[in-house]
Amino acid sequence: MAAIPVSPLAPKSYPDLPAIAGVRFATAEAGIKYKNRTDVLLVGFEPGSSVAGVVTRSKCSSAAVDWCKANLPGGVARGLVVNSGNANAFTGIKGQKSVELTADIAAKALGCAPNEIFIASTGVIGEPLDAGKFSGVLDQMATRLDDGPWMDPAKAIMTTDTFPKLSGATVEIDGAEVRINGIAKGSGMIAPDMATMLSFVFTDMAVSAPVLQALLVKHVATSFNAITVDSDTSTSDTLLAFATGKAEGVAPLESLDDPRAEIFGEALRDVLFDLAIQVVRDGEGATKQVSIHVEGATSDASAFRIAKAIADSPLVKTAIAGEDANWGRVVMAVGKAGEPADRDKLSIRFGDLLVAKDGERATGYDEAATSAYMKGEDLELTVGLGLGEGRATVYTCDLTHGYITINGDYRS
Amino acid sequence: MAAIPVSPLAPKSYPDLPAIAGVRFATAEAGIKYKNRTDVLLVGFEPGSSVAGVVTRSKCSSAAVDWCKANLPGGVARGLVVNSGNANAFTGIKGQKSVELTADIAAKALGCAPNEIFIASTGVIGEPLDAGKFSGVLDQMATRLDDGPWMDPAKAIMTTDTFPKLSGATVEIDGAEVRINGIAKGSGMIAPDMATMLSFVFTDMAVSAPVLQALLVKHVATSFNAITVDSDTSTSDTLLAFATGKAEGVAPLESLDDPRAEIFGEALRDVLFDLAIQVVRDGEGATKQVSIHVEGATSDASAFRIAKAIADSPLVKTAIAGEDANWGRVVMAVGKAGEPADRDKLSIRFGDLLVAKDGERATGYDEAATSAYMKGEDLELTVGLGLGEGRATVYTCDLTHGYITINGDYRS
C-alpha cells in the first residue's frame, strides 16, 4: 500500500512544549514492527507522582489495558512504557505474560516496583508481542532520559496517524506557573468510550490521584469521549494523566472543593480537547471536520446520543464529503437515534444558515449560500429539537474514498 | 453522476411469479422525479382482503408511514399506492395533506373508503410531494388493473436499486395450492427496524389480520430486521402483507393455534428472507455478501446485538472488501457491542476455517487457505462466545469505494 498522505486538516505548526519538572523520557527503535522510526517510549517520573486514567470500555480490552486497570487504584506512578506497531490485544495468556515481563524490565531500569509502571500498546491486534525485545532497549533508554523535546514521544506512539499530536497549557496557580503537556495518537477505530486511542498528559502540579481521576473523568466526557471517526471502539484506548508535584511554590491539590481545582481542571480540559480534536482532524481519509451540535433535547444525555447517531451515520458523513447540505439524511439520523424527537419541531442549521424549520424546508432557504458554506473545511451542523434544554456536541470528520483506501485496499 | 452499475451480486434470473387471485395492479409514469420509467404502482384488492404491516421505528417517520400506522388496526385493505422518487418525509403539514389527497384519489378510483388505501413513498427526503400529479394518473391506472406481470410493480418501486426484487412461494394447504408473492426495494439506508426499505407481500390465502400481523412480526425478525447495509434506518421503511382469501378450497386461517399457521408462516418466512437477502445483495457498492453468525452468547438478543455490531463496523466491512481475514477487527467489534463477552473464550471462523480460538490465533491457522476463502462472493463469519446458548445471524455486505461514490460524489 502506498504511503498515506498527511491529512489536509493537519496543524500548520506544532507547539514547542516546555519541560515538566519530574518528567523525563526517551524514545527508541525497538523494531517491533516498523523500521527506521521510533516505536517505543519510556517515561520516568520522580517519586511522589500520582496517576489517574480512563480506559476503553471494550469487553475485549488488551492485556496492557487490563494491567493499567489493575494498577490505577494504587494511584502511584514511576514509569510509563508505550509501544507502537503491536497492540498486544487478543493474544491470550501470552499477552498477559508479555505485559508482566515489560513491567519487570522497566521497573528494574527505573528502580521502582512493577506495579508503578504503566503500559500502553497500539497497533496490530492478535499478534503476540515479544516483550523480550524491550529488554536491552529499556535499560539503555533509562540511561538517557531527558526532559525534551516533546515531539519525540509524540512521534514514537504514532501508528496510522499522519501527524504527531501535542498540546500544552500553562496556568498561574498560587502565583506560580503550573504546566500541563499532552500527547495523543489515533486516526481510525475512533469512537467514544474511549476514542484516544492513546493519550498521555503530564503536569508538574501536585494533584492527588482521586482529584486527578475526578477531573479526568469530568473532562474526558466533552473531549475524547465526544469524538468519533468511524464509530469503532478500540480494544486498547487508554488515557493516563500523571502529576509529579514538582512545580515550586504550589500547594498540593487534594480536594475538588479547593477553588484551584476548577482552574486546573479548565486547563486540563483545554489540553484534552485540543488533543481530541487533533485526532478527529487526523481521522482516516478526513477532508472536513464537523462539529455536530444538538440542542433542545429532553436531556443532555439524549442530546449526546442524537449527536452521536448523526456523527456516526455513513450517509451523513458521505454527504458532507460530497459538500452536500443533505439535511434529509440528518433527519434520518435523528430518527434512528431512538431518542425523543418531534419531526414537526425539528430545525437544522449548517453554520448560521437555516435549512429546515418546523419539520420542513425553511422559508428563505438559500441553496447557493448553503452550497458555498459546505465547501469549507470546518463545518458546524446544529439540530434543534424544540423539546427541552438538553444539549451536547460531538466532533467528527467526513467519510471519503480515503477511508476505504486506508482500511480496505489490501488487494492491490 | 454516472449511472450506477448493476450489483455483481444480482440474481442471474428472475422468477416468473404467478397471478394471485384477488390482486390486480398497474404501473405508470407519473413523472414525480424520474423520466422514462414507471414511478407509481396502484394495487387493487378484492373486498374481504386483510392487511398487516411493520413500519420503521424512526422517530421521524414519513407521512405515508404515519398513515399506514393509523389504518393498520382496521385490518382491511382495498388498495395500495406506492410512488418512487419522493419519500414525502419531513414535509410537515404539506406531507400529511398530500397523503390524504392521494388516499382520496385512489379510493375514488377503486371505489372504496380512503382508510382502506395503504400508501408508501420512497426517494428524496424533505421535498414536498405534489399529490395532484396522481389525480388523472390513478384514475387511468384503475381502468387497466391486471394480475401480471409481477416484474412491473417490482420495477416501479425501485430508487437506487440496481435490480428489481421479487420472490414467491407456493404451499399446499387443505389440498389446495396457496400462493405468496413478494416484491421489495432497498439498497442504501438499510438497517434493522426496518430495513426494507419497502416490501409488499401478497397471498391468496384467507388469513385474519391479527394472525397475519403475528406471523409478519415473527418472521421479520430473522429476515428484514436481520440485515444491515450501512446501519442507517430509513424514515419510510414499510412492510405490508395483504391476504385476499381468494384461494379456492382453503378455509380461513384465523388462529395461531391452527397447525396450518406454521406451514403458511414458513412459506411467508421464505419469501421475506429471500427478499431481504436480495436487498443486502443490492447494498450500495456491495461486492460481497456476508452472513455474520454469533453463537454461544448469553441470550439470542445478546447474540443479535453482537452480530449487528460486527455487521455495522466500518473496519470489519472494509476488511472484507479488501479480502482480508482481519479477525482483530472482529474482536474489536465484539468488544464494542457492550454485551457479555470473555476475550479468552472467543473463537472466530471464516467459513469452516478456524482463525482464532481461546483468545488468540488458532494453532494451525492457515493464512493461504483463509486468503483464498476471502476471495469468494458469499462469506460466512462465525463468532463463538463460549458463554451460553444464545445465537443469531445478521446479513450484510462489504463497504467499498462504490458506497462512497454513490453517496458522496456530488462534487464532480
Side-chain angles (χ1 to χ4, degrees):
Chain A
M1 194 166 74
I4 297 161
V6 172
S7 168
L9 308 177
K12 304 287 176 267
S13 66
Y14 297 93
D16 186 14
L17 299 180
I20 301 274
V23 179
R24 290 158 60 82
F25 51 79
T27 61
E29 300 182 13
I32 291 157
K33 180 185 170 206
Y34 304 117
K35 289 194 168 42
N36 302 317
R37 58 154 279 191
T38 56
D39 59 359
V40 59
L41 165 66
L42 175 68
V43 187
F45 306 103
E46 298 250 327
S49 295
S50 62
V51 61
V54 180
V55 297
T56 183
R57 285 185 210 159
S58 171
K59 301 285 180 180
C60 298
S61 54
S62 72
V65 166
D66 291 350
W67 176 266
C68 290
K69 273 188 199 166
N71 291 310
L72 275 168
V76 175
R78 288 293 309 281
L80 167 68
V81 180
V82 188
N83 77 274
S84 55
N86 186 321
N88 193 25
F90 208 56
T91 44
I93 190 74
K94 288 192 201 84
Q96 189 190 321
K97 295 283 174 209
S98 171
V99 164
E100 288 168 6
L101 180 58
T102 304
D104 282 345
I105 296 169
K108 280 201 192 85
L110 294 173
C112 65
N115 64 5
E116 294 170 327
I117 301 291
F118 287 78
I119 298 175
S121 297
T122 171
V124 175
I125 303 180
E127 293 285 337
L129 173 64
D130 179 7
K133 285 197 176 176
F134 294 139
S135 184
V137 177
L138 291 177
D139 287 344
Q140 194 276 333
M141 291 167 83
T143 66
R144 55 181 176 85
L145 298 177
D146 206 348
D147 62 6
W150 282 86
M151 183 59 88
D152 288 353
K155 283 187 172 171
I157 66 174
M158 289 167 65
T159 56
T160 57
D161 302 64
T162 72
F163 61 84
K165 298 167 187 70
L166 307 88
S167 185
T170 57
V171 57
E172 195 181 299
I173 291 182
D174 296 344
E177 185 188 80
V178 161
R179 296 172 177 175
I180 305 175
N181 284 359
I183 59 173
K185 59 99 21 196
S187 180
M189 210 183 282
I190 299 293
D193 310 319
M194 281 277 300
T196 319
M197 308 168 51
L198 300 185
S199 183
F200 310 101
V201 178
F202 311 89
T203 181
D204 51 5
M205 173 107 180
V207 188
S208 73
V211 170
L212 193 58
Q213 183 70 30
L215 293 174
L216 205 59
V217 167
K218 176 180 178 187
H219 294 297
V220 80
T222 56
S223 58
F224 285 114
N225 277 351
I227 65 172
T228 180
V229 167
D230 56 10
S231 82
D232 277 339
T233 302
S234 165
T235 53
S236 304
D237 292 338
T238 302
L239 166 63
L240 297 172
F242 303 91
T244 66
K246 297 296 180 273
E248 296 201 0
V250 184
L253 177 58
E254 295 177 329
S255 163
L256 287 171
D257 297 332
D258 185 329
R260 300 175 308 157
E262 188 163 342
I263 299 167
F264 176 81
E266 285 305 311
L268 177 65
R269 197 262 171 189
D270 287 347
V271 172
L272 296 176
F273 185 76
D274 186 11
L275 290 171
I277 292 297
Q278 290 186 53
V279 170
V280 167
R281 294 178 73 84
D282 203 8
E284 288 171 342
T287 66
K288 292 172 190 294
Q289 187 211 316
V290 195
S291 302
I292 313 274
H293 309 285
V294 171
E295 54 192 36
T298 53
S299 70
D300 289 352
S302 179
F304 181 83
R305 284 189 285 268
I306 291 170
K308 177 137 164 47
I310 298 168
D312 279 338
S313 160
L315 287 168
V316 170
K317 294 164 88 84
T318 48
I320 288 165
E323 302 184 339
D324 175 23
N326 194 322
W327 55 275
R329 295 186 184 178
V330 177
V331 178
M332 175 281 301
V334 171
K336 81 166 180 168
E339 293 295 316
D342 180 341
R343 184 186 66 203
D344 297 337
K345 287 184 179 169
L346 279 181
S347 67
I348 298 173
R349 295 198 304 275
F350 283 91
D352 295 328
L353 300 160
L354 187 67
V355 297
K357 186 166 186 290
D358 298 337
E360 56 188 302
R361 189 162 53 203
T363 322
Y365 165 71
D366 184 339
E367 181 150 358
T370 309
S371 293
Y373 178 76
M374 296 303 291
K375 293 189 193 303
E377 242 179 28
D378 292 285
L379 302 176
E380 308 276 332
L381 168 58
T382 306
V383 174
L385 293 168
L387 299 178
E389 299 298 317
R391 57 174 59 233
T393 299
V394 168
Y395 308 88
T396 191
C397 57
D398 54 350
L399 172 59
T400 69
H401 284 289
Y403 184 86
I404 307 288
T405 299
I406 293 167
N407 290 298
D409 282 0
Y410 298 102
R411 278 178 282 193
S412 55
Chain B
M1 194 167 76
I4 297 161
V6 171
S7 168
L9 308 177
K12 304 287 176 266
S13 66
Y14 297 94
D16 186 15
L17 299 180
I20 300 273
V23 179
R24 290 157 61 81
F25 51 80
T27 62
E29 300 181 15
I32 292 157
K33 179 185 169 207
Y34 303 117
K35 286 190 169 44
N36 302 318
R37 59 154 277 188
T38 56
D39 60 358
V40 60
L41 164 67
L42 175 67
V43 186
F45 305 104
E46 299 251 326
S49 295
S50 61
V51 61
V54 179
V55 297
T56 184
R57 285 184 209 160
S58 171
K59 301 286 179 177
C60 298
S61 54
S62 71
V65 166
D66 291 349
W67 175 268
C68 290
K69 272 187 201 166
N71 292 311
L72 275 168
V76 175
R78 289 294 308 282
L80 167 69
V81 180
V82 188
N83 77 273
S84 55
N86 186 318
N88 192 26
F90 208 55
T91 45
I93 188 76
K94 288 191 202 86
Q96 188 189 323
K97 294 284 177 209
S98 171
V99 164
E100 289 168 6
L101 181 58
T102 304
D104 282 346
I105 296 169
K108 279 203 192 82
L110 294 173
C112 65
N115 64 7
E116 294 170 328
I117 301 291
F118 288 77
I119 298 175
S121 297
T122 172
V124 175
I125 303 179
E127 293 285 337
L129 173 65
D130 179 7
K133 284 197 175 174
F134 293 138
S135 183
V137 177
L138 291 177
D139 287 344
Q140 193 275 331
M141 290 167 84
T143 66
R144 54 180 176 85
L145 298 177
D146 206 347
D147 61 6
W150 281 87
M151 183 59 87
D152 288 354
K155 282 187 172 172
I157 65 174
M158 288 166 66
T159 57
T160 56
D161 303 63
T162 73
F163 60 84
K165 297 167 187 69
L166 309 88
S167 185
T170 57
V171 55
E172 194 180 298
I173 291 182
D174 296 345
E177 185 189 80
V178 161
R179 294 171 177 176
I180 306 176
N181 285 358
I183 59 174
K185 61 94 29 192
S187 181
M189 210 183 281
I190 298 293
D193 309 319
M194 283 274 302
T196 321
M197 309 171 49
L198 300 185
S199 182
F200 309 102
V201 178
F202 310 88
T203 181
D204 50 6
M205 174 106 181
V207 188
S208 73
V211 170
L212 193 57
Q213 184 69 32
L215 292 174
L216 206 59
V217 167
K218 176 179 178 187
H219 294 298
V220 80
T222 55
S223 58
F224 285 115
N225 277 351
I227 66 173
T228 179
V229 167
D230 55 10
S231 82
D232 277 340
T233 303
S234 164
T235 54
S236 305
D237 291 337
T238 302
L239 165 63
L240 297 172
F242 303 92
T244 65
K246 296 297 181 272
E248 295 202 1
V250 184
L253 177 58
E254 294 177 330
S255 164
L256 287 172
D257 297 330
D258 185 330
R260 301 175 309 159
E262 188 164 342
I263 299 167
F264 177 81
E266 285 305 310
L268 176 66
R269 197 263 169 187
D270 287 347
V271 171
L272 296 176
F273 185 77
D274 186 12
L275 291 170
I277 293 296
Q278 290 186 52
V279 170
V280 167
R281 294 179 71 84
D282 203 8
E284 289 171 342
T287 67
K288 293 173 190 293
Q289 186 212 314
V290 195
S291 302
I292 313 274
H293 310 285
V294 172
E295 54 193 35
T298 54
S299 70
D300 289 351
S302 179
F304 181 83
R305 285 190 284 269
I306 291 170
K308 178 140 163 43
I310 299 168
D312 280 338
S313 160
L315 286 169
V316 171
K317 293 163 88 84
T318 48
I320 289 166
E323 302 184 338
D324 174 23
N326 194 321
W327 55 276
R329 295 187 183 177
V330 177
V331 178
M332 176 281 301
V334 171
K336 81 167 180 167
E339 293 295 317
D342 180 339
R343 186 186 64 202
D344 298 337
K345 288 185 178 170
L346 279 181
S347 67
I348 298 174
R349 295 199 304 275
F350 282 93
D352 294 329
L353 301 161
L354 186 68
V355 297
K357 187 164 185 291
D358 298 337
E360 54 186 304
R361 189 161 52 203
T363 322
Y365 166 72
D366 183 340
E367 182 150 358
T370 310
S371 293
Y373 178 77
M374 296 303 291
K375 293 190 192 302
E377 244 179 26
D378 292 285
L379 302 176
E380 308 276 332
L381 168 58
T382 305
V383 174
L385 294 166
L387 299 178
E389 299 298 315
R391 56 175 58 234
T393 300
V394 168
Y395 307 89
T396 190
C397 56
D398 54 349
L399 173 58
T400 68
H401 284 290
Y403 184 88
I404 308 289
T405 299
I406 293 167
N407 290 299
D409 282 359
Y410 299 102
R411 279 178 282 193
S412 56

